[in-house]
């Protein structure tokens, strides 16, 4: 469970995981693109993400980060912040969960990670390699926060894509609108937050589906 810690500083996702849970849920909004990676033999090898954080959260995360030009941040200036981001994500499964023909897949630690600052927002780019390449007729990748503290939303412009895949059908499903009972539970999260081991957040997952011959 994420602990109360209002005075933590630094790191987009370290901050995300250390904000006071008395705040409203969700408290951080992320718009994302995902690219499903394939090898030449048609096996899936990983997922490449680009997560853009809301402007208020981005501004908070940048406090104390040294930079040469006002209103601008280079990749090098944000390098240590990017590293802290991905290290903070590990305990939470990188908010990314995959299955091949119904079987759970495991990811390795992120590679090729970096932060970009543009239009007053931070975008975290990173690649999640699979522990072992997987071949399947049906792949499902879900992106969500089990505690519903972070709201993930597909980008409107080309939210998902395939790289190197054989002739496969790519689709994606938006999270369903909460029922009255689910809305009531969401309203109780401030006083009764979800544990990281909870499966409740899964019902609001963004789903990426790949079907291959």
């Amino acid at each position: 469970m994420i602990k109360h810690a209002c005075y933590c500083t630094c790191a987009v996702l370290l901050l995300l995981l250390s904000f006071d849970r008395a705040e409203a849920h969700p408290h951080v909004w992320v718009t994302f693109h995902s690219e499903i990676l394939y090898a030449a033999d048609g096996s899936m090898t990983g997922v490449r993400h680009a997560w853009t954080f809301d402007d208020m959260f981005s501004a908070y995360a940048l406090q104390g980060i040294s930079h040469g030009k006002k209103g601008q941040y280079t990749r090098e200036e944000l390098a240590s912040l990017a590293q802290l981001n991905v290290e903070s994500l590990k305990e939470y499964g990188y908010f990314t969960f995959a299955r091949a023909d119904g079987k759970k897949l495991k990811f390795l630690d992120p590679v090729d990670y970096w932060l970009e600052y543009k239009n007053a927002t931070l975008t975290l780019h990173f690649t999640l390699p699979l522990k072992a390449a997987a071949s399947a007729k049906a792949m499902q990748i879900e992106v969500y926060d089990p505690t519903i503290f972070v709201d993930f939303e597909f980008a409107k412009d080309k939210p998902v894509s395939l790289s190197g895949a054989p002739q496969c059908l790519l689709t994606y499903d938006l999270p369903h609108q909460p029922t009255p009972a689910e809305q009531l539970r969401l309203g109780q999260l401030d006083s009764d937050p979800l544990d990281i081991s909870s499966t409740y957040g899964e019902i609001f997952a963004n789903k990426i589906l790949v079907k291959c011959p």
Side-chain angles (χ1 to χ4, degrees):
M1 178 177 178
I2 299 174
K3 303 298 183 181
H4 289 212
C6 292
Y7 300 102
C8 285
T9 58
C10 222
V12 174
L13 292 178
L14 183 61
L15 283 168
L16 180 160
L17 300 173
S18 59
F19 268 142
D20 191 334
R21 282 288 167 166
E23 300 289 349
H25 288 67
H27 187 67
V28 178
W29 288 264
V30 174
T31 302
F32 71 99
H33 295 262
S34 294
E35 184 178 8
I36 315 305
L37 308 177
Y38 281 80
D41 64 0
S43 61
M44 176 183 163
T45 59
V47 180
R48 182 180 294 129
H49 284 310
W51 294 358
T52 299
F53 296 88
D54 64 85
D55 54 357
M56 290 184 64
F57 185 76
S58 296
Y60 189 91
L62 287 168
Q63 292 183 19
I65 301 296
S66 298
H67 55 292
K69 294 184 179 180
K70 184 177 180 179
Q72 298 182 33
Y73 296 84
T74 66
R75 187 184 301 192
E76 291 72 25
E77 290 168 341
L78 296 172
S80 60
L81 186 60
Q83 181 178 352
L84 198 48
N85 291 174
V86 296
E87 289 175 352
S88 303
L89 276 170
K90 185 172 184 177
E91 182 181 358
Y92 300 87
Y94 309 102
F95 298 137
T96 305
F97 310 89
R99 293 176 182 270
D101 289 335
K103 184 179 179 180
K104 289 184 178 180
L105 300 177
K106 293 184 178 180
F107 290 103
L108 297 174
D109 292 340
V111 297
D112 301 329
Y113 53 84
W114 54 283
L115 275 169
E116 176 186 18
Y117 182 74
K118 185 178 181 181
N119 298 327
T121 59
L122 282 169
T123 298
L124 177 64
H125 300 263
F126 65 105
T127 298
L128 282 176
L130 284 173
K131 186 174 182 180
S135 297
K137 291 185 176 181
M139 291 285 185
Q140 179 168 305
I141 297 96
E142 296 182 337
V143 179
Y144 66 94
D145 176 6
T147 68
I148 317 181
F149 187 59
V150 185
D151 180 89
F152 284 94
E153 179 182 11
F154 283 117
K156 291 180 173 58
D157 179 26
K158 197 177 181 181
V160 295
S161 60
L162 299 177
S163 177
Q167 293 183 346
C168 299
L169 175 64
L170 171 66
T171 60
Y172 62 93
D173 290 338
L174 303 177
H176 81 278
Q177 293 298 312
T179 65
E182 291 167 349
Q183 191 64 56
L184 178 62
R185 179 67 185 99
L186 291 173
Q188 298 170 340
L189 293 182
D190 290 345
S191 57
D192 184 20
L194 296 170
D195 187 271
I196 188 62
S197 63
S198 171
T199 59
Y200 189 74
E202 187 175 356
I203 63 177
F204 302 108
N206 298 270
K207 297 180 180 180
I208 302 169
L209 309 169
V210 183
K211 292 185 178 180
C212 298

